[in-house]
Amino acid sequence: MATPEKRAAQLREQIRYHNFRYYVLDDPQIPDAEYDRLMQELQALETEHPELVSPDSPTQRVGAEPLKVFGEVRHEVPMLSLDNAFSDEELASFDRRVRERLEVDSVEYTAEPKLDGLAVSLLYEDGQLVRAATRGDGATGENVTQNVRTIQSIPLRLLGNDHPHRLEVRGEVFISRDGFRRLNERALQQGQKIFANPRNAAAGSLRQLDPAVTAQRPLEIYCYGTGLVEGGELPGRHSEILQQLRDWGLRVYPGIERVMGLEGCVKYYRQLEKQRDQLAFDIDGVVFKVDRLDQRQQLGFVARAPRWAVARKFAAQEELTRVIDIDVQVGRTGAITPVARLEPVFVGGVTVTNATLHNEDEVRRKDVRVGDTVVVRRAGDVIPEIVSVVKERRSETCRSFVMPTQCPVCGSDIEKIEGEAVARCTGGLYCAAQRREAIKHFASRRAMDIEGLGDKLVDQLVDLKLVEDVADLYSLRPEILAGMERMGDKSAHKLIAALECSKETTLERFLYALGIREVGEATARTLAQEFGDLEVLMQASEADLEAIHDIGPVVARHIVNFFQQAHNREVIDKLLTAGVHWQAVTVSRHRPLEGHTYVITGTLSSMTRDQAKQGLQALGAKVSGSLSKKTSALVAGDNPGSKLDKAEKLQVPVLSEQDMIELLQQ
Ligand code: IVH
């Protein structure tokens, strides 16, 4: 064991290095959670051994030296940091400390998201933006005025005329998830370095030497407070100040609330934690601030943070772990996906042991090797992925991944077509892995919707050769099913009933369920609407198919190929004989919304977003996930988020739910 003195020195050196990567290079090497742990360990050591605290310890200040290339700005009111609470208990002790110091029973807090971007300070003189600075080390920041002036949501001039003579507004500059995705897509196309996450993208964009580059980046701001106030007064509560900032035309997050006591804080926290994945931007926790400024005054500050605020952090979505092995998985269409097997790690609220590596190019690009220490990310329901490799921790024994030339499941050749990212097993339905996946797809909710036919059961049925193709499902007997692992009489009969029930379907579901390559739900719907009849579709030529709007040569080729295979025709026959049927489709030529594109956002009250989408599509419209100038209209439900702002900016018409219903009924 190192002595406390040695350990503190080690920690300081590591933290300094990581500060440099994070604040100066905008290229952190380790996840925030890991950084927090180093900092906490150092803080604990210093608390236990106060003689070890040195004035240059990273615990004694925030962030890192500003870059000299930008001019320096000395913050007249320092830009502080926030103390963290990683559990409800830590939050409760924060609230207790506040109450004890104020000698009150309950405190009013404002609750706001902790945005994951970078802090800036905007100086307004007589309502004009005269200077903008980054936080830097808290005392001195970088002058980024020219860059900040390119951010559309930052007013160059405040509304109204009752502003203090000098007013510093503080907020977080960030990039939305959508903006981040677009930015990285562009970077990939242009062969540039991609950003690890939206926060680095925001930091890297704001600290560009050329403002013209910053202007190209989708930076946004939410303001969350003030610094210097001279020649004028602000209201006596934080919540009122935020309202005042809004009135002056500054962008403040609309979901900020005033809450009562610890209970109110916990409730807000739980709510936001649930909504986290639906937000348009990354947040890493909730900030609680004492609302009354006189109470804040009474509480004051400790070294680098105020006593009147705390950041309750969410469970980390990024963690470090080690790659034990890299092997491959075979998908429904034979796609071979490299998968990293990981040392179990708790991230994003679950224990993760695998992470997809998408394809061979991705493995090369990220240069992931067996034995590497990697940053794993799991956000919401998204499958875990490897963000980056900590190259500094690579040992010489790390082994590179080699794409197999034979399918590990069926032994068929693996082929990789020039220009395609994906390698495929050529075994088709001979390959048990592809069969398995085809059956799971067939049974899935949006296909034939066979309830109770889970993945594990399909695996058993295929392994025991009880089901060789999807049609075999309909000849399963209850007594056979009852003998499977984790099945009993009751669940077997339930499954038989679900199978019976699934026989009544629609042509579009059926086509989707067949799992023809490149035929997703939208294409299946188009095919059903255009052909109306399975037999006619099966006879269609590539030219017939290509004549349809939305169907290109590749999809046409796959469809014709599929129906030419004798095996597929047999399976279809078997399915129809087993009693799978649907109502005849009347070929719809009524497509009044042909050529129009809609985007749906927020929560609808009378239907799900999916139902709305299907309704619009049935009338010929396209429904897209992202807004552009070409969007015909935005349908906005409750809590519409940033899309609404964007629509207004792009002058895209906005429809309410009721407007859309009327449109559908026309
Ligand atoms: S208030 C004295 N409010 O978190 C309090 N900060 O760890 C200063 N942040 O530098 C900050 N969202 O970059 C505040 N709603 C919010 C915030 C927020 C994100 C960032 C900010 C600050 C860091 C402190």
Side-chain angles (χ1 to χ4, degrees), residues 116-274:
D116 206 3
L118 73 159
V120 294
S121 178
L122 311 171
L123 179 64
Y124 285 90
E125 282 182 2
D126 298 323
Q128 298 274 10
L129 177 66
V130 294
R131 194 187 70 196
T134 62
R135 183 173 72 172
D137 62 7
T140 311
E142 297 150 334
N143 187 330
V144 286
T145 314
Q146 293 312 318
N147 290 347
V148 160
R149 288 175 63 91
T150 68
I151 302 175
Q152 301 288 341
S153 49
I154 297 184
L156 299 181
R157 184 170 207 351
L158 297 180
L159 299 178
N161 43 23
D162 51 346
H163 349 92
H165 168 52
R166 296 180 82 209
L167 169 70
E168 231 184 312
V169 177
R170 293 188 172 164
E172 194 86 347
V173 166
F174 64 96
I175 286 183
S176 70
R177 292 179 183 148
D178 218 32
F180 168 70
R181 203 176 29 74
R182 278 183 281 124
L183 195 63
N184 266 355
E185 268 166 21
R186 202 167 47 179
L188 260 184
Q189 273 167 11
Q190 300 175 349
Q192 291 164 348
K193 188 178 159 236
I194 64 162
F195 291 106
N197 56 48
R199 190 201 50 226
N200 301 136
S205 299
L206 189 67
R207 303 170 78 229
Q208 282 289 328
L209 296 180
D210 180 0
V213 176
T214 308
Q216 302 283 312
R217 304 288 173 83
L219 289 166
E220 300 178 42
I221 192 167
Y222 274 126
C223 301
Y224 53 61
T226 55
L228 181 80
V229 185
E230 256 179 30
E233 284 228 343
L234 292 182
R237 279 179 177 268
H238 179 60
S239 49
E240 293 165 358
I241 294 179
L242 293 179
Q243 187 50 47
Q244 174 68 80
L245 296 181
R246 285 191 187 104
D247 294 343
W248 284 334
L250 289 154
R251 194 156 177 255
V252 175
Y253 181 67
I256 295 181
E257 277 176 32
R258 202 154 74 191
V259 299
M260 199 61 196
L262 178 65
E263 208 176 297
C265 292
V266 172
K267 195 166 152 227
Y268 186 95
Y269 174 83
R270 297 263 181 279
Q271 243 168 18
L272 205 59
E273 192 181 32
K274 251 193 254 146

Side-chain angles (χ1 to χ4, degrees), residues 601-605 609 635-641 657:
T601 189
T603 320
L604 302 176
S605 55
R609 291 229 290 245
V635 177
D638 281 348
N639 300 322
E657 181 171 353

Side-chain angles (χ1 to χ4, degrees), residues 434-445:
Q434 292 185 52
R435 257 194 333 257
R436 241 189 272 273
E437 295 310 313
I439 294 166
K440 290 175 192 170
H441 170 76
F442 182 82
S444 65
R445 198 171 52 82

Side-chain angles (χ1 to χ4, degrees), residues 80-82 112-115 118-119 135 172 224 287 289 306 308:
L80 295 170
S81 179
L82 289 166
E112 41 197 273
K114 183 163 195 300
L115 298 151
L118 73 159
R135 183 173 72 172
E172 194 86 347
Y224 53 61
V287 185
K289 300 174 183 168
W308 43 259

Side-chain angles (χ1 to χ4, degrees), residues 327-330 334-337 403-414 424-425 431-433:
D327 55 27
V328 297
Q329 241 165 23
V330 190
I336 304 281
T337 314
M403 189 61 144
T405 50
Q406 253 97 41
C407 172
V409 177
C410 73
S412 303
D413 286 344
I414 287 178
R424 283 176 204 279
C425 159
C431 176

